[in-house]
Amino acid sequence: MELLDLTKLLKANPYPGRGIVLGRSADNRRAVAAYFIMGRSENSRNRVFVPTEDGIRTQAHDPSRMTDPSLIIYHPVRRVGRGLVVTNGDQTDTVRDGLLAGKTFAQALHTREFEPDGPNYTPRISGLLSPDGSFKLSILKSADGDPACCCRYFYTYDRPLPGEGRFLHTYLGDGDPLPSFEGEPERVILDDPTAEALAERMWNALNEENKVSLFVRYIDLTDGTWQDVIRNKHE
């Protein structure tokens, strides 16, 4: 699989929707996690990321303008022990609770499917970053827009290569209905020395009109300490 430039991918796609990047820093010392959200409606754009004790959650920037919190208010990132769960919906809690109950990542997600937002049927994308830097990704999607079938795809990366990551996002681009992501998670270059540098690069590459919030975490693989960066269009 071709190694791609994350900046070019983001700039070329005005609406990738929500996206997860997991991987390894170029110095092979840190695990990398990033998550972003975008929006086309006023309701979707009226959000910010706020830190929590175990990760982040979405929150209305202006509560008086929030019309429907379903599918847009959730915890995208939560710690489980020294592991990190990253998803684009409330399945973060499904995975977290499943892991704490002794289930696997896949077993937990087999209780969920794509979002009930026809005609888009937005895929549920999820990631699990382990303390050793290995990670898993998953996408649950309808069968080419047909909600009668849920297609479940799981990917495991046991020994991530330095300076590389995998990028999974909900949509191939803008459209009506929105076209779901297809294929294996994209292989991307992660050569940014710090979380701040990666956040700056991704934030500047995301479509200015549609971007909403971005989270980046670099985790030291030796001692488990981390550095977080949050970008919100509504500061």
Side-chain angles (χ1 to χ4, degrees), residues 117-134:
D117 63 339
N120 296 317
Y121 300 110
T122 298
R124 289 192 187 271
I125 57 173
S126 307
L128 175 62
L129 182 58
S130 297
D132 64 358
S134 63

PDB file of all heavy atoms in Angstrom, residues 117-134:
ATOM      1  N   ASP A 117     -28.888   7.301  10.551  1.00  0.00           N
ATOM      2  CA  ASP A 117     -29.112   8.638   9.999  1.00  0.00           C
ATOM      3  C   ASP A 117     -29.349   8.571   8.494  1.00  0.00           C
ATOM      4  O   ASP A 117     -28.768   9.346   7.740  1.00  0.00           O
ATOM      5  CB  ASP A 117     -27.930   9.556  10.333  1.00  0.00           C
ATOM      6  CG  ASP A 117     -26.622   9.080   9.716  1.00  0.00           C
ATOM      7  OD1 ASP A 117     -26.521   7.886   9.379  1.00  0.00           O
ATOM      8  OD2 ASP A 117     -25.704   9.899   9.555  1.00  0.00           O
ATOM      9  N   GLY A 118     -30.208   7.635   8.053  1.00  0.00           N
ATOM     10  CA  GLY A 118     -30.486   7.511   6.628  1.00  0.00           C
ATOM     11  C   GLY A 118     -30.855   8.850   5.998  1.00  0.00           C
ATOM     12  O   GLY A 118     -31.420   9.729   6.646  1.00  0.00           O
ATOM     13  N   PRO A 119     -30.504   9.069   4.718  1.00  0.00           N
ATOM     14  CA  PRO A 119     -29.940   8.073   3.800  1.00  0.00           C
ATOM     15  C   PRO A 119     -28.420   7.936   3.864  1.00  0.00           C
ATOM     16  O   PRO A 119     -27.844   7.167   3.099  1.00  0.00           O
ATOM     17  CB  PRO A 119     -30.350   8.620   2.430  1.00  0.00           C
ATOM     18  CG  PRO A 119     -30.290  10.115   2.615  1.00  0.00           C
ATOM     19  CD  PRO A 119     -30.789  10.351   4.027  1.00  0.00           C
ATOM     20  N   ASN A 120     -27.742   8.670   4.770  1.00  0.00           N
ATOM     21  CA  ASN A 120     -26.280   8.578   4.823  1.00  0.00           C
ATOM     22  C   ASN A 120     -25.801   7.284   5.471  1.00  0.00           C
ATOM     23  O   ASN A 120     -24.807   6.706   5.044  1.00  0.00           O
ATOM     24  CB  ASN A 120     -25.696   9.765   5.598  1.00  0.00           C
ATOM     25  CG  ASN A 120     -25.957  11.097   4.922  1.00  0.00           C
ATOM     26  OD1 ASN A 120     -25.819  11.231   3.714  1.00  0.00           O
ATOM     27  ND2 ASN A 120     -26.360  12.089   5.706  1.00  0.00           N
ATOM     28  N   TYR A 121     -26.488   6.861   6.533  1.00  0.00           N
ATOM     29  CA  TYR A 121     -26.060   5.691   7.313  1.00  0.00           C
ATOM     30  C   TYR A 121     -24.551   5.778   7.595  1.00  0.00           C
ATOM     31  O   TYR A 121     -23.761   4.930   7.192  1.00  0.00           O
ATOM     32  CB  TYR A 121     -26.421   4.387   6.594  1.00  0.00           C
ATOM     33  CG  TYR A 121     -27.906   4.259   6.362  1.00  0.00           C
ATOM     34  CD1 TYR A 121     -28.450   4.351   5.083  1.00  0.00           C
ATOM     35  CD2 TYR A 121     -28.770   4.102   7.433  1.00  0.00           C
ATOM     36  CE1 TYR A 121     -29.827   4.274   4.886  1.00  0.00           C
ATOM     37  CE2 TYR A 121     -30.149   4.022   7.249  1.00  0.00           C
ATOM     38  CZ  TYR A 121     -30.670   4.111   5.965  1.00  0.00           C
ATOM     39  OH  TYR A 121     -32.035   4.027   5.783  1.00  0.00           O
ATOM     40  N   THR A 122     -24.208   6.850   8.281  1.00  0.00           N
ATOM     41  CA  THR A 122     -22.802   7.146   8.576  1.00  0.00           C
ATOM     42  C   THR A 122     -22.108   5.950   9.222  1.00  0.00           C
ATOM     43  O   THR A 122     -22.613   5.390  10.200  1.00  0.00           O
ATOM     44  CB  THR A 122     -22.699   8.359   9.502  1.00  0.00           C
ATOM     45  OG1 THR A 122     -23.260   9.501   8.838  1.00  0.00           O
ATOM     46  CG2 THR A 122     -21.254   8.641   9.878  1.00  0.00           C
ATOM     47  N   PRO A 123     -20.954   5.550   8.708  1.00  0.00           N
ATOM     48  CA  PRO A 123     -20.213   4.438   9.328  1.00  0.00           C
ATOM     49  C   PRO A 123     -19.786   4.791  10.748  1.00  0.00           C
ATOM     50  O   PRO A 123     -19.517   5.948  11.070  1.00  0.00           O
ATOM     51  CB  PRO A 123     -18.982   4.280   8.423  1.00  0.00           C
ATOM     52  CG  PRO A 123     -19.354   4.921   7.131  1.00  0.00           C
ATOM     53  CD  PRO A 123     -20.277   6.049   7.505  1.00  0.00           C
ATOM     54  N   ARG A 124     -19.727   3.768  11.593  1.00  0.00           N
ATOM     55  CA  ARG A 124     -19.102   3.924  12.907  1.00  0.00           C
ATOM     56  C   ARG A 124     -17.642   3.498  12.760  1.00  0.00           C
ATOM     57  O   ARG A 124     -17.363   2.357  12.404  1.00  0.00           O
ATOM     58  CB  ARG A 124     -19.816   3.078  13.961  1.00  0.00           C
ATOM     59  CG  ARG A 124     -21.194   3.600  14.322  1.00  0.00           C
ATOM     60  CD  ARG A 124     -21.746   2.929  15.566  1.00  0.00           C
ATOM     61  NE  ARG A 124     -23.124   3.325  15.798  1.00  0.00           N
ATOM     62  CZ  ARG A 124     -23.501   4.394  16.506  1.00  0.00           C
ATOM     63  NH1 ARG A 124     -22.576   5.168  17.061  1.00  0.00           N
ATOM     64  NH2 ARG A 124     -24.766   4.679  16.676  1.00  0.00           N
ATOM     65  N   ILE A 125     -16.735   4.416  13.026  1.00  0.00           N
ATOM     66  CA  ILE A 125     -15.309   4.110  12.967  1.00  0.00           C
ATOM     67  C   ILE A 125     -14.762   4.113  14.389  1.00  0.00           C
ATOM     68  O   ILE A 125     -15.141   4.950  15.213  1.00  0.00           O
ATOM     69  CB  ILE A 125     -14.545   5.097  12.065  1.00  0.00           C
ATOM     70  CG1 ILE A 125     -14.742   6.555  12.522  1.00  0.00           C
ATOM     71  CG2 ILE A 125     -14.967   4.934  10.604  1.00  0.00           C
ATOM     72  CD1 ILE A 125     -13.876   7.557  11.769  1.00  0.00           C
ATOM     73  N   SER A 126     -13.890   3.155  14.678  1.00  0.00           N
ATOM     74  CA  SER A 126     -13.390   2.977  16.041  1.00  0.00           C
ATOM     75  C   SER A 126     -11.939   2.546  16.013  1.00  0.00           C
ATOM     76  O   SER A 126     -11.501   1.857  15.082  1.00  0.00           O
ATOM     77  CB  SER A 126     -14.215   1.912  16.786  1.00  0.00           C
ATOM     78  OG  SER A 126     -15.603   2.183  16.726  1.00  0.00           O
ATOM     79  N   GLY A 127     -11.210   2.925  17.064  1.00  0.00           N
ATOM     80  CA  GLY A 127      -9.816   2.514  17.200  1.00  0.00           C
ATOM     81  C   GLY A 127      -9.487   2.180  18.639  1.00  0.00           C
ATOM     82  O   GLY A 127     -10.096   2.717  19.570  1.00  0.00           O
ATOM     83  N   LEU A 128      -8.531   1.282  18.808  1.00  0.00           N
ATOM     84  CA  LEU A 128      -8.023   0.918  20.131  1.00  0.00           C
ATOM     85  C   LEU A 128      -6.505   0.938  20.077  1.00  0.00           C
ATOM     86  O   LEU A 128      -5.896   0.154  19.344  1.00  0.00           O
ATOM     87  CB  LEU A 128      -8.530  -0.456  20.553  1.00  0.00           C
ATOM     88  CG  LEU A 128      -7.966  -0.996  21.877  1.00  0.00           C
ATOM     89  CD1 LEU A 128      -8.344  -0.091  23.036  1.00  0.00           C
ATOM     90  CD2 LEU A 128      -8.458  -2.427  22.120  1.00  0.00           C
ATOM     91  N   LEU A 129      -5.905   1.835  20.844  1.00  0.00           N
ATOM     92  CA  LEU A 129      -4.448   1.970  20.914  1.00  0.00           C
ATOM     93  C   LEU A 129      -3.963   1.327  22.206  1.00  0.00           C
ATOM     94  O   LEU A 129      -4.376   1.731  23.301  1.00  0.00           O
ATOM     95  CB  LEU A 129      -4.067   3.453  20.875  1.00  0.00           C
ATOM     96  CG  LEU A 129      -2.589   3.830  20.892  1.00  0.00           C
ATOM     97  CD1 LEU A 129      -1.848   3.206  19.727  1.00  0.00           C
ATOM     98  CD2 LEU A 129      -2.450   5.352  20.864  1.00  0.00           C
ATOM     99  N   SER A 130      -3.106   0.317  22.087  1.00  0.00           N
ATOM    100  CA  SER A 130      -2.624  -0.429  23.251  1.00  0.00           C
ATOM    101  C   SER A 130      -1.376   0.216  23.844  1.00  0.00           C
ATOM    102  O   SER A 130      -0.688   1.001  23.165  1.00  0.00           O
ATOM    103  CB  SER A 130      -2.329  -1.877  22.858  1.00  0.00           C
ATOM    104  OG  SER A 130      -3.525  -2.520  22.440  1.00  0.00           O
ATOM    105  N   PRO A 131      -1.021  -0.120  25.097  1.00  0.00           N
ATOM    106  CA  PRO A 131       0.149   0.492  25.742  1.00  0.00           C
ATOM    107  C   PRO A 131       1.456   0.265  25.004  1.00  0.00           C
ATOM    108  O   PRO A 131       2.376   1.083  25.106  1.00  0.00           O
ATOM    109  CB  PRO A 131       0.178  -0.180  27.122  1.00  0.00           C
ATOM    110  CG  PRO A 131      -1.231  -0.589  27.367  1.00  0.00           C
ATOM    111  CD  PRO A 131      -1.795  -0.965  26.028  1.00  0.00           C
ATOM    112  N   ASP A 132       1.567  -0.837  24.256  1.00  0.00           N
ATOM    113  CA  ASP A 132       2.809  -1.103  23.523  1.00  0.00           C
ATOM    114  C   ASP A 132       2.851  -0.414  22.165  1.00  0.00           C
ATOM    115  O   ASP A 132       3.820  -0.573  21.417  1.00  0.00           O
ATOM    116  CB  ASP A 132       3.021  -2.612  23.358  1.00  0.00           C
ATOM    117  CG  ASP A 132       1.950  -3.279  22.501  1.00  0.00           C
ATOM    118  OD1 ASP A 132       1.005  -2.584  22.052  1.00  0.00           O
ATOM    119  OD2 ASP A 132       2.054  -4.505  22.277  1.00  0.00           O
ATOM    120  N   GLY A 133       1.830   0.347  21.844  1.00  0.00           N
ATOM    121  CA  GLY A 133       1.797   1.072  20.577  1.00  0.00           C
ATOM    122  C   GLY A 133       1.109   0.337  19.449  1.00  0.00           C
ATOM    123  O   GLY A 133       0.872   0.921  18.386  1.00  0.00           O
ATOM    124  N   SER A 134       0.791  -0.941  19.632  1.00  0.00           N
ATOM    125  CA  SER A 134       0.007  -1.650  18.625  1.00  0.00           C
ATOM    126  C   SER A 134      -1.408  -1.094  18.648  1.00  0.00           C
ATOM    127  O   SER A 134      -1.851  -0.506  19.643  1.00  0.00           O
ATOM    128  CB  SER A 134       0.001  -3.151  18.887  1.00  0.00           C
ATOM    129  OG  SER A 134      -0.622  -3.449  20.126  1.00  0.00           O
TER     130      SER A 134
END
